[in-house]
């Protein structure tokens, strides 16, 4: 086979043919030009649409009428009947809709197009994925032309429409073409060729949504029912066909399921396994649960399978191992299927399953609420509420407090029954004509005033029982801390202790945010004593998990604030920075840098013209104290306390601790102690890299990313050479096999960072080798 001509050469040749057809007066040149266009069918696919549009636009040209009938059939019509079918159909339908002259010839070609099996070629090209890549808009246009062809031609050709274009003939033809394409797909799959049913499913869905499913299924059902009885490949094709139907057309396709497979689920064990187990418990990427469960519930003979499915779903939902090890998306899918199954049960069936559902409720709630992932805990709350409401246990219903989002609303909608809304009595009997007075700008008069000194604020928070005074003191605390540095240092640890143990007894608005921002301000103002206190208390007894998480959040926010440059308006006093004592082991700033800064500060520069004010340099307040944040949190982590088991059941705190340490590492990129921090962090997370909880694994991967981002490539090779190859192998395993999508993504990012750093260092001729650094 000759090699394809370059695109530019083909484009030039096609343009030359267009010029010949437009300008030539020699009758011999016209067939030659058309013959040449036909020769480019395979080579010039990208120019095919342009060629067809040119022919349609020139259908009334003199040269077209000079062609003999044989020449029109062999040279003109063949371009529409031999080239890419999707492009030919679009151009033909566009011409029929727009042209008035030459319309009869286009109609005849379209009729030949349908009669010659070109629809099968079109569908098969998308099944085999040999059709050119198209945009969603073009795909939607093509689907519209295929499904609505009878409507489009009727509007244009009435009353002279072709019988083949009528719905009673066209849609059976379309169904037969679909079957032919599916036959080819089945044979291709058996031969080991990959195929796609996406376009075929979109065609079926659009046919159903437009109300032509009865005619199409009258052709599809007998053939598909016969094939699926004994051929597993055909069963797979039928289910893939339904799985790939777009969500917006799924309802229409669902009503057709019973007619496609009938009671196959009762007679074929393999089909029963696929429908009742695989599609509901192992798959979660396709929204087929509504179709499957509705199919099982629609017939009296199939309802026992619905109860069987419900038992399997309840066991899967309540399984602690599944809650820990399966992706959140799959757990969400199982939760939706469980709620939908319960909603489809009759009251008598629900009564028989009450004890089993109650056991599922109790065990599943515990498993979900013990999870460190917020989505899983919220999922457990919603499902627990819905199940208790449906079972109506002793007239009591579970009720949890959680934030509403699209996910929770969808779960609630699967089991919520529409009830009449309670209406309140109408109290506006004679006051409707009175204009209400605008009180939106009124302010409540308070006898208390906010404290002016930080010690007064502390005293109020400790001893006052007045809700107003407590709220005013809490709101004023952060500002007082930042404005009165010396006074704050005298009571910094004591005030931190009070805030850490403070509870929201008076339902103060934004209590958590006010308390947290004040603690962050204290850490920034008097860094070392407060940091030592918080890191020590993190491992102390008699603290709740919430308080330990508060400690980590405050330290993380304070570290981020200290690492940012301060503006002129908000720059802290010099004493607040000068008093920061380096953590033991930190190296002091190099004397050359100090001398250079002094020289720069005393040097005057003269320049002509407008000058831009240089950015004012400010010290990095975090770098000298990075070790105070980092190293104390690495101590005592492996000693389980009476109420705190970091390496045991307290997965949430462990994951947050590792994430916080990774943040400290990232912020310490320019600190002298960052190399020691990197090695210590990798040693710490290495022991928990295969933790069962995905939150912990995410924290580990974030910490590894932080190490690779913060440490220069030379330090990686010198300081961590004995760990790099093993770390890389572990990251590759996580990127491929971890059930959590975020973990896989973080592992890929870490691999990219590591490979980029190593490649950069190994390309440096002066870089140390792994052997020299080990």
């Amino acid at each position: 086979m000759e090699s394809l001509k370059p695109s530019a050469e083909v484009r030039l040749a096609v343009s030359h043919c267009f010029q010949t057809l437009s300008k030539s007066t020699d009758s011999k040149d016209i067939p030659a030009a058309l013959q040449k266009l036909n020769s480019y069918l395979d080579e010039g696919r990208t120019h095919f649409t342009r060629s067809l549009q040119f022919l349609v636009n020139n259908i009334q040209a003199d040269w077209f009428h000079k062609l003999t009938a044989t020449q029109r059939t062999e040279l003109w019509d063949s371009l529409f009947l031999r080239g890419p079918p999707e492009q030919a159909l679009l151009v033909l339908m566009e011409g029929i809709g727009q042209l008035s002259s030459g319309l009869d010839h286009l109609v005849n070609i379209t009729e030949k197009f349908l009669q010659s099996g070109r629809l099968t070629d079109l569908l098969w090209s998308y099944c085999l994925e040999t059709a050119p890549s198209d945009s969603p808009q073009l795909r939607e246009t093509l689907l519209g032309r295929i499904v609505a062809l009878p409507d489009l031609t009727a509007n244009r050709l009435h009353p002279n429409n072709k019988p083949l274009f009528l719905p009673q003939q066209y849609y059976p033809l379309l169904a037969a073409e679909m079957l032919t394409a599916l036959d080819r797909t089945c044979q291709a799959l058996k031969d080991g060729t990959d195929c796609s049913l996406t376009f075929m499913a979109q065609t079926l869905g659009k046919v159903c949504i437009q109300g032509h499913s009865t005619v199409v299924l009258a052709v599809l059902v007998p053939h598909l029912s016969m094939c699926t009885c004994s051929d597993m490949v055909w069963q797979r094709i039928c289910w893939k066909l339904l799985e790939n139907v777009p969500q917006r057309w799924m309802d229409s396709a669902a009503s057709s399921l019973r007619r496609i497979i009938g009671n196959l689920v009762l007679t074929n064990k393999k089909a029963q396994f696929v429908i009742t187990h695989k599609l509901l418990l192992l798959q979660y990427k396709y929204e087929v649960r509504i179709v499957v469960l509705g199919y099982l519930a629609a017939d009296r003979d199939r309802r026992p399978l619905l109860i069987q499915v419900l038992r399997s779903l309840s066991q899967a939902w309540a399984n602690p191992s599944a809650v820990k090890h399966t992706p959140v998306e799959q757990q969400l899918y199982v939760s939706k299927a469980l709620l939908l199954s319960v909603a489809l049960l009759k009251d008598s069936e629900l009564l028989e399953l009450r004890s089993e559902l109650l056991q599922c409720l109790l065990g599943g709630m515990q498993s979900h609420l013990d999870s460190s992932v917020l989505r899983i805990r919220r999922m457990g709350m919603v499902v627990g509420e819905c199940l208790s409401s449906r079972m109506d246990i002793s007239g009591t219903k579970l009720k949890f407090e959680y934030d509403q989002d699209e996910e929770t609303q969808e779960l609630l909608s699967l089991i919520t029954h529409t009830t009449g809304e309670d209406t309140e009595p109408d109290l506006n009997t004679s006051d409707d004509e009175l204009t209400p007075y605008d009180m939106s700008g009124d302010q409540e008069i308070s006898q208390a005033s906010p404290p002016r000194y930080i010690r007064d604020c502390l005293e109020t928070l400790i001893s006052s029982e007045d809700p107003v005074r407590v709220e005013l003191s809490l709101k004023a605390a952060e500002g007082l801390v930042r404005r009165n540095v010396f006074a704050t240092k005298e009571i910094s640890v004591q005030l931190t202790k009070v805030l850490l143990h403070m509870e929201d007894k008076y339902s103060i608005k934004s209590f958590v945010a006010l308390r947290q921002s004040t603690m962050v301000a204290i850490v920034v103002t008097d860094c070392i004593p407060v940091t030592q206190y918080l890191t020590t208390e993190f491992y102390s007894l008699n603290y709740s998990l919430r308080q330990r998480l508060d400690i980590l959040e405050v330290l993380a926010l304070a570290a981020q604030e200290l690492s940012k440059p301060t503006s002129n308006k908000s720059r802290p006093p010099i004493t607040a920075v000068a008093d920061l004592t380096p953590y033991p082991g930190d190296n002091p700033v190099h004397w050359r840098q100090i001398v250079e800064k002094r020289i720069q500060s005393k040097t005057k520069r003269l320049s002509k013209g407008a000058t831009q004010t240089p950015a004012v340099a400010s010290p990095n307040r975090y770098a000298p104290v990075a070790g105070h944040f980092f190293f104390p949190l690495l101590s005592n982590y492996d000693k389980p306390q009476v109420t705190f088991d970091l390496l045991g059941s307290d997965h949430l705190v462990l994951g947050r601790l590792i994430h916080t340490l990774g943040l400290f590492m990232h912020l310490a990129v320019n600190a002298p102690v960052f190399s020691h921090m990197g090695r210590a962090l990798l040693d710490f997370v290495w022991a928990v890299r295969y933790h069962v909880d995905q939150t912990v694994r995410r924290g580990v991967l974030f910490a590894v990313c932080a190490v690779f981002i913060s440490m220069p490539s030379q330090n990686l090779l010198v300081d961590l050479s004995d760990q790099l190859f093993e770390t890389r192998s572990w990251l590759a395993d996580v990127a491929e096999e971890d059930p959590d999508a975020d973990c896989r993504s973080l592992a890929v990012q870490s691999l990219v960072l590591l490979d980029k750093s190593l490649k950069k260092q190994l390309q440096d001729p002066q870089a140390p080798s792994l052997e020299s650094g080990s």
Side-chain angles (χ1 to χ4, degrees), residues 313-324 326 331 360 363-364 367-368:
L313 289 171
S314 61
Q315 292 173 4
W317 186 79
N319 189 339
S321 179
V323 174
K324 291 181 180 179
T326 57
Q331 296 183 48
C360 162
S367 301
H368 283 75

Side-chain angles (χ1 to χ4, degrees), residues 303-356:
R303 287 196 71 87
L305 291 179
L306 175 64
I307 297 177
Q308 174 185 327
V309 165
L310 176 59
R311 288 192 172 101
S312 300
L313 289 171
S314 61
Q315 292 173 4
W317 186 79
N319 189 339
S321 179
V323 174
K324 291 181 180 179
H325 299 290
T326 57
V328 179
E329 292 77 12
Q330 184 171 356
Q331 296 183 48
L332 177 62
Y333 188 90
V334 171
S335 299
K336 292 178 181 179
L338 174 61
L339 293 180
L340 188 58
S341 301
V342 173
L344 291 172
L345 287 181
K346 300 177 181 178
D347 292 340
S348 57
E349 296 169 334
L350 183 64
L351 185 61
E352 296 177 2
L353 296 171
R354 190 168 182 172
S355 60
E356 297 180 43

Side-chain angles (χ1 to χ4, degrees), residues 128-250:
L128 203 57
E129 296 185 321
T130 57
S133 59
D134 52 11
S135 63
Q137 294 79 11
L138 181 61
R139 175 73 64 91
E140 194 68 27
T141 302
L142 180 59
L143 287 171
R145 298 295 185 270
I146 294 174
V147 176
L149 186 144
D151 297 330
L152 297 174
T153 54
N155 292 336
R156 190 71 177 87
L157 304 177
H158 184 77
N160 301 317
N161 201 359
K162 293 282 187 179
L164 185 58
F165 297 162
L166 299 178
Q168 56 267 30
Q169 290 194 28
Y170 174 76
Y171 289 110
L173 171 66
L174 175 61
E177 304 286 88
M178 294 173 67
L179 282 177
T180 304
L182 290 174
D183 280 328
R184 294 183 184 179
T185 301
C186 181
Q187 188 59 47
L189 291 174
K190 292 179 179 179
D191 294 339
T193 303
D194 292 336
C195 295
S196 171
L197 291 177
T198 301
F199 187 81
M200 189 82 73
Q202 292 172 344
T203 304
L204 177 61
K206 200 167 185 66
V207 167
C208 293
I209 199 65
Q210 292 193 1
H212 306 296
S213 60
T214 302
V215 181
V216 173
L217 291 174
V219 179
L220 289 178
V221 167
H223 186 81
L224 294 180
S225 298
M226 179 182 64
C227 293
T228 53
C229 286
S230 58
D231 195 327
M232 190 62 188
V233 178
W234 267 111
Q235 293 179 15
R236 178 185 172 193
I237 288 175
C238 288
W239 277 104
K240 281 292 182 181
L241 190 64
L242 289 172
E243 288 176 1
N244 289 327
V245 172
Q247 181 65 32
R248 60 187 185 278
W249 301 330
M250 184 62 74

